[in-house]
């Protein structure tokens, strides 16, 4: 039983892993991630890659919405910018994927800064509508700027490549997506140990107080938008290499809502929440299908009546979380940790 | 309590009988030939569910029927599907799951987006032939999509058939004018450029083209545009119902005698059911006979009999059902030709078998023998709504594009 950690320096207080148990668990988690692709079939590998992309994008949105308090409904648009940047660069220049991914992130960040400009004047729902408008505008550009984006037909691209290796299969893509997801989440965790991250949190908690403390609101809000969009751009770039086709319809408004829901269900302002939320939103609809599979031997027509039911159950699960666990899955995880930490005493 | 125990006992006995039956049946089944698997990403929920449930019914009924006929060259057919909610990522997940566990020879894709997204995987796997709900022109590019085909004319070819019909209506060198109204989607924009080019070749003037949101209802501004140019024909594309109904009602209220036409997914009986008498005169291009048409043929009769058997209370089967049945028919023909040639069921061999289809009699599903061109069946007929009888009736012969 461990009942507390004595922290005797600022460094110890700000450390990502405060105990050796945490380090052990994280090491074990990395080992599982490493072994997973060698054990999983193509279906599980595909879902693993999908979760990896969702984790990157959700972490980006969490930086903006969860940590800075700026609601955005433009995440799909920023992902689209990243995806089209990668697709265009891949088709027209043949650059290797590390460069195209960084450029995708930077391009999305630049667009994010532009979209973030109104954030000094408008907040809450107003900002949500402003970012929604940006998403619609970006969709219009994807559809109409035919010479660059291929119009409604979109762009097809070659597999990601590096040093003569072609990352064509899900197995190979896993080794791009998942390490990048781990690195980007760790990078985000580090951001919140710096002045910049603390400024984001200060703005979220009370922007007027933050300004009085000397935080340049516009600068830090735009920085948050840039960082969040960078993550979305990289996620979009990975999306492009993963599916190898990008069309305007790949990035609908519902995708932005999906990521916002992932942040809320996971736990706003909590990086672990972003990871859990992304996994939940991606995997639960698939897991629910097991119900149908279990019923099909007894009722051959089960898919027909169960499929709409599953959509309802999934919606109800999300609503249930908002009502009964407003701090999201991360809070559930923390409660479980507290239980084991204090066991056998009452939590 | 006693009743409880008795009930549990009955359930256990039932379960025991099932296990016993399966145990007895297993050796017999093992002697059979390997089943051939039809896979499917089917949208049973989501925005395309209205068609998805009928597509599922069509594939299920065809599978039951072909098995009752002895399967394909003695191989039983197994249909394995997953719901996709018409979302590309879930559709791809379904494909991975099914192809990982069942090795489907053929597969039904629920959207153009999915079929494009899965193309690289399909090409690298090389053991599945795919078709589905999409009639996208892009999918007939054999270089990029060598293992995918269109179970009918692609959208550009549908426009070609419509425009040939319109050209035939011209009298004394006075060619009718046409306007295109389409949705702001990949689906909607697909045939427009090719349609304009074909219209120019036939000497038909495209006097207006209008893009709307799919499902939009307020189209008064667009109707005013059409009123100014007074087209003889308006061709809708990229919609299921709205705003076709709005355009028709408003233009007729303005006294225009324009005739209205639509492509495959805009030519379902749904339009008659929703619009009633207002649907009268609406025309659609359809590659298959309607379920309630007066046409007949051995396969069309078998389809009707199987549909009646599987759901006696349903007196009509929509176009999604007919399309799914035809898909499965083509798969069967392709597999049969491949097996008859003593070849493996690979994507390449099945694509070659598909390309070899020439003057194929579909037993009344399509009214004339059909020939595959560029992985599609460029054939169709113009049908017109008879609102009083509540059905579509043919107004043209079958048109086969060369």
């Amino acid at each position: 039983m461990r009942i507390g950690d004595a922290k005797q320096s600022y460094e110890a207080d700000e450390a990502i892993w405060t105990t050796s148990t945490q380090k052990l668990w994280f090491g074990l988690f990395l080992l599982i991630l490493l072994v997973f692709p060698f054990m999983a079939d193509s279906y599980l590998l595909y879902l693993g890659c999908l979760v990896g992309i969702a984790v990157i994008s959700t972490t980006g949105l969490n930086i903006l919405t969860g940590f800075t308090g700026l609601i955005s409904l433009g995440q799909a648009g920023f992902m689209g910018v990243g995806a089209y940047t990668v697709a265009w660069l891949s088709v027209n220049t043949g650059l290797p994927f590390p460069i195209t991914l960084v450029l995708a992130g930077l391009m999305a960040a630049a667009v994010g800064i532009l979209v973030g400009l109104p954030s000094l004047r408008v907040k809450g729902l107003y900002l949500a509508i402003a970012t929604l408008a940006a998403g619609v505008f970006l969709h219009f550009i994807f559809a109409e700027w035919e010479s660059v984006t291929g119009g409604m037909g979109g762009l097809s691209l070659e597999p990601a490549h590096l040093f003569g290796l072609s990352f064509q299969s899900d197995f190979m893509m896993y080794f791009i997506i998942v390490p990048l997801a781990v690195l980007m989440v760790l990078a985000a965790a580090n951001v919140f140990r710096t002045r910049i991250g603390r400024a984001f949190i200060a703005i979220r908690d009370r922007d007027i107080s933050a300004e009085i403390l000397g935080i340049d609101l516009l600068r830090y809000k735009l920085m948050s938008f840039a960082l969040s969009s960078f993550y979305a751009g990289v996620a979009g770039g990975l999306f492009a290499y993963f599916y190898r086709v990008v069309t305007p319809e790949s990035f609908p408004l519902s995708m932005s809502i999906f990521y916002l829901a992932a942040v809320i269900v996971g736990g706003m302002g909590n990086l672990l929440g972003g990871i859990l939320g992304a996994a939940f939103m991606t995997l639960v609809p698939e897991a629910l299908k097991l119900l149908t599979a279990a019923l099909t031997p007894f009722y051959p027509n089960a898919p027909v009546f169960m499929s709409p039911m599953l959509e309802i159950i999934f919606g109800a699960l999300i609503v249930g979380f908002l009502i009964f666990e407003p701090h999201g899955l991360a809070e559930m995880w923390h409660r479980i940790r507290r239980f084991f930490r204090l066991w056998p005493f009452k939590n | 309590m006693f009743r409880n125990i008795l009930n549990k006992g009955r359930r256990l006995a039932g379960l025991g009988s099932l296990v016993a039956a399966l145990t007895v049946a297993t050796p017999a089944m093992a002697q059979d030939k390997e089943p051939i698997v039809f896979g499917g990403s089917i949208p049973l929920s989501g925005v395309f569910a209205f068609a998805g449930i009928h597509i599922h019914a069509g594939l299920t009924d065809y599978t039951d029927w072909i098995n009752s006929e002895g399967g394909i060259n003695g191989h039983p057919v197994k249909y394995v599907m997953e719901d996709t909610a018409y979302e590309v990522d879930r559709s791809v997940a379904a494909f991975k799951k099914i192809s990982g566990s069942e090795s489907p020879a053929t597969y039904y894709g629920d959207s153009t987006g999915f079929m494009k997204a899965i193309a690289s995987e399909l090409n690298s796997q090389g053991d599945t032939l795919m078709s589905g709900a999409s009639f996208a022109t892009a999918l007939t590019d054999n270089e990029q999509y060598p293992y995918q085909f269109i179970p009918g004319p692609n959208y550009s070819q549908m426009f070609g058939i419509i425009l040939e019909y319109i050209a035939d209506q011209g009298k004394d060198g006075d060619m009718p004018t046409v306007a295109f109204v389409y949705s702001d989607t990949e689906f909607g924009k697909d045939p427009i450029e090719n349609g304009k080019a074909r219209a120019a070749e036939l000497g038909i003037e495209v006097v207006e083209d209008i893009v709307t949101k799919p499902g939009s209802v307020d189209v008064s501004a667009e109707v005013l545009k059409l009123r100014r140019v007074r087209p003889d024909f308006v061709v809708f594309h990229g919609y299921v119902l709205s705003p076709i109904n709005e355009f028709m009602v408003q233009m007729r209220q303005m006294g225009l005698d324009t005739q209205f036409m639509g492509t495959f997914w805009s030519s379902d009986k749904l339009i008659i059911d929703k619009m009633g008498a207002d649907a009268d005169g609406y025309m659609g291009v359809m590659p298959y006979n309607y379920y309630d048409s007066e046409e007949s043929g051995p396969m069309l009769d078998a389809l009707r009999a199987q549909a009646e058997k599987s759901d006696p209370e349903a007196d009509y089967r929509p176009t999604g059902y007919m399309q799914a049945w035809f898909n499965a028919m083509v798969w069967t023909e392709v597999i049969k030709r491949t097996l008859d040639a003593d070849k493996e069921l690979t994507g390449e061999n099945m694509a070659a078998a598909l390309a070899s289809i020439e003057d194929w009699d579909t037993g009344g599903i399509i009214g004339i023998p059909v020939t595959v061109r560029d992985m599609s069946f460029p054939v169709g007929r113009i049908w017109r709504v008879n609102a009083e009888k509540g059905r579509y009736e043919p107004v043209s012969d079958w048109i086969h594009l060369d």
Side-chain angles (χ1 to χ4, degrees):
Chain A
M1 182 187 73
R2 199 181 70 242
I3 56 171
D5 301 306
K7 290 167 183 161
Q8 295 173 4
S9 65
Y10 283 121
E11 285 76 22
D13 197 36
E14 286 188 340
I16 293 178
W17 291 286
T18 51
T19 66
S20 52
T21 319
Q22 274 184 328
K23 284 179 194 163
L24 183 74
W25 279 111
F26 184 69
L28 198 65
F29 177 65
L30 287 185
L31 192 67
I32 292 170
L33 288 184
L34 188 68
V35 173
F36 176 77
F38 297 98
M39 315 287 281
D41 61 8
S42 66
Y43 169 62
L44 288 176
L45 258 177
Y46 169 77
L47 291 180
C49 292
L50 221 51
V51 170
I53 294 171
V55 164
I56 295 173
S57 191
T58 309
T59 302
L61 189 61
N62 212 351
I63 291 171
L64 184 69
T65 302
F67 287 95
T68 322
L70 302 169
I71 294 177
S72 169
L73 283 173
Q75 195 74 348
F78 299 136
M79 281 183 72
V81 171
Y84 274 105
T85 305
V86 158
W88 190 88
L89 288 171
S90 169
V91 169
N92 293 290
T93 67
L95 285 170
F97 79 84
I99 298 172
T100 57
L101 279 180
V102 171
L103 291 174
L106 292 176
M107 180 63 87
V111 175
I113 289 172
L114 279 179
V115 173
L117 279 173
S119 65
L120 188 67
R121 297 279 177 191
V122 296
K123 286 190 283 188
L125 271 180
Y126 299 94
L127 184 61
I129 298 300
T131 52
L132 175 70
V136 173
F137 181 66
L138 286 172
H139 186 276
F140 179 79
I141 292 175
F142 300 153
E144 301 300 330
W145 196 8
E146 273 202 57
S147 56
V148 173
T149 63
M152 291 307 287
L155 294 172
S156 298
L157 59 156
E158 291 298 309
H161 66 273
L162 187 72
F163 303 131
L165 277 176
S166 175
F167 292 79
Q168 191 163 357
S169 63
D170 292 352
F171 180 81
M172 294 294 276
M173 280 305 292
Y174 180 91
F175 289 102
I176 301 178
I177 293 169
V178 172
L180 253 181
V182 172
L183 279 177
M184 292 184 85
V185 172
L186 286 176
N190 271 308
V191 165
F192 296 105
R193 299 162 72 202
T194 64
R195 177 186 164 80
I196 296 169
R198 283 194 293 272
F200 289 169
I201 294 168
I203 291 169
R204 176 193 68 188
D205 291 346
R206 191 72 182 158
D207 57 351
I208 295 171
S209 308
E211 196 168 18
I212 291 168
L213 287 170
I215 292 168
D216 182 347
L217 287 190
L218 183 64
R219 188 175 158 214
Y220 282 101
K221 281 184 175 180
L222 291 187
M223 213 181 274
S224 181
F225 259 103
L227 204 54
S228 166
S229 311
F230 181 85
Y231 275 66
V234 172
L238 290 171
F239 180 99
Y241 278 130
F242 191 48
Y243 288 115
R244 289 174 45 201
V245 60
V246 185
T247 70
E249 289 168 14
S250 306
F251 305 99
L253 170 64
S254 59
M255 191 184 243
S256 295
I257 295 168
F258 172 93
Y259 287 116
L260 196 56
V263 169
I264 294 169
V265 167
M268 285 175 80
N270 189 316
L271 287 175
L272 177 69
I275 299 167
L276 296 176
F280 178 90
M281 293 293 290
T282 309
L283 298 179
V284 168
E286 290 299 315
L288 284 174
K289 280 186 190 168
L290 295 175
L291 273 179
T292 310
L295 283 175
T296 307
F298 307 103
Y299 305 103
N301 218 19
V304 175
F305 66 83
M306 277 302 288
S307 296
M309 285 294 293
L310 298 181
E311 296 289 304
I312 294 167
I313 294 170
F314 182 50
L317 272 174
I318 294 173
V319 174
F321 263 112
L322 298 182
I323 295 171
F324 299 108
E325 200 60 76
H327 296 294
L329 292 163
E331 181 56 29
M332 286 174 76
W333 173 246
H334 288 144
R335 211 178 296 138
I336 292 167
R337 277 185 64 193
R338 270 202 301 276
F339 173 81
F340 282 107
R341 190 176 284 186
L342 295 177
W343 189 86
F345 298 110
K346 186 169 169 63
N347 191 348
Chain B
M1 189 183 167
F2 178 73
R3 189 175 295 168
N4 248 348
I5 292 167
L6 195 69
N7 279 344
K8 277 183 186 163
R10 273 185 195 150
R11 274 182 219 150
L12 275 175
L15 200 63
S17 322
L18 188 69
V19 171
L22 283 175
T23 315
V24 171
T26 305
M29 284 160 71
Q31 287 166 7
D32 288 339
K33 287 185 179 178
E34 278 285 297
I36 287 168
V37 177
F38 291 170
S41 286
I42 312 291
L44 290 177
S45 55
V47 293
F48 204 59
F50 74 93
I53 50 174
H54 298 295
I55 289 167
H56 174 65
L59 292 174
T60 307
D61 283 1
Y62 181 85
T63 306
D64 290 345
W65 175 78
I66 194 76
N67 281 333
S68 72
E69 297 285 306
I72 306 174
N73 289 9
H75 291 268
V77 175
K78 184 177 169 190
Y79 164 51
V80 185
M81 57 74 65
E82 286 245 350
D83 173 42
T84 65
Y86 201 56
E87 287 173 14
V88 171
D89 54 347
R90 287 169 68 176
S91 207
V92 174
F95 177 81
K96 304 254 179 189
K97 200 171 171 185
I98 293 170
S99 61
S101 58
E102 304 280 356
S103 306
T106 57
Y107 199 90
Y108 191 97
D110 61 349
S111 67
T112 308
F114 162 68
M115 290 173 77
K116 281 185 173 180
I118 206 66
S120 61
E121 173 112 7
L122 204 64
N123 297 350
S124 61
Q125 275 188 1
D127 52 9
T128 303
L129 186 71
M130 183 178 283
S131 57
S134 174
F135 293 89
T137 307
L139 295 180
T140 45
D141 174 356
N142 289 350
E143 297 244 327
Q144 215 169 345
Y145 307 102
Y147 306 141
Q148 300 192 24
F149 73 91
I150 304 291
N154 65 35
Y155 291 127
S156 294
Q157 290 164 341
M158 286 186 201
F159 263 54
I161 293 165
I162 283 175
L163 289 167
E164 280 206 14
Y165 172 79
I166 291 173
D168 279 350
Q169 308 308 304
K171 286 168 195 158
D172 310 324
D174 188 13
M175 200 57 92
T177 58
V178 66
F180 295 156
V181 179
Y182 50 97
S183 65
D184 187 17
T185 58
E186 183 181 2
F187 169 28
K189 290 183 173 179
D190 179 307
I192 302 306
E193 285 311 311
N194 288 334
K196 283 179 187 171
R198 183 69 188 135
E201 279 171 20
L202 292 167
I204 298 168
E205 190 187 354
V206 181
V207 290
E208 187 67 81
D209 67 323
I210 289 172
V211 192
T212 77
K213 290 278 168 213
S216 61
V217 283
D218 182 12
V219 291
S220 19
E222 284 79 10
V223 168
L224 286 175
K225 276 189 202 168
L226 291 176
R227 187 187 179 188
R228 272 199 298 275
V229 292
R230 294 181 171 268
D232 295 307
F233 288 87
V234 168
V235 181
F236 296 103
H237 178 67
Y239 308 109
V240 176
L241 175 64
S242 296
I244 295 173
N245 46 351
E246 286 297 319
F247 271 101
M248 285 174 65
V249 170
Q250 288 189 33
M251 287 177 74
R252 281 177 182 164
Q253 280 170 352
M254 287 177 176
L256 299 171
D257 56 1
T258 303
Q259 296 189 63
F260 303 96
M261 305 180 81
T263 49
F264 181 81
W265 291 113
S266 312
S267 302
D268 199 4
K269 200 181 172 199
L270 182 82
I271 285 189
I272 308 174
D273 295 342
K274 296 286 180 191
M275 290 183 68
D278 286 332
D280 200 51
Y282 175 78
M283 288 181 279
V285 59
M286 181 59 56
Y288 326 115
N289 276 311
Y290 281 88
Y291 183 80
D292 58 354
S293 68
E294 286 170 0
E295 313 291 319
S296 66
M299 183 57 91
L300 189 55
D301 295 343
L303 176 150
R304 286 169 177 150
Q306 186 65 34
E308 173 70 22
K309 191 173 145 193
S310 69
D311 187 358
E313 286 174 20
D315 59 350
Y316 180 76
R317 295 291 173 145
T319 47
Y321 182 94
M322 305 296 292
Q323 202 254 13
W325 185 286
F326 182 70
N327 261 285
M329 265 178 72
V330 178
W331 297 341
T332 303
E333 181 66 19
V334 162
I335 290 167
K336 204 170 166 344
R337 284 178 187 228
T338 310
L339 292 177
D340 287 347
D342 211 16
K343 287 183 177 169
E344 265 186 83
L345 291 179
T346 62
E348 197 180 345
N349 290 339
M350 287 189 283
L354 178 79
S356 75
I357 290 179
E358 201 171 327
D359 292 329
W360 178 44
D361 183 358
T362 60
I365 302 293
I366 297 173
I368 52 168
V370 290
T371 300
V372 170
R373 292 262 184 276
D374 296 328
M375 306 291 264
S376 67
F377 294 82
V379 64
R381 190 179 204 185
I382 305 297
W383 301 71
R384 190 175 188 277
V385 169
N386 182 333
E388 201 180 326
K389 291 183 181 169
R391 66 177 193 183
Y392 287 84
E393 291 173 340
V395 289
S396 80
D397 284 334
W398 290 94
I399 299 169
H400 203 300
L401 302 178
D402 293 323

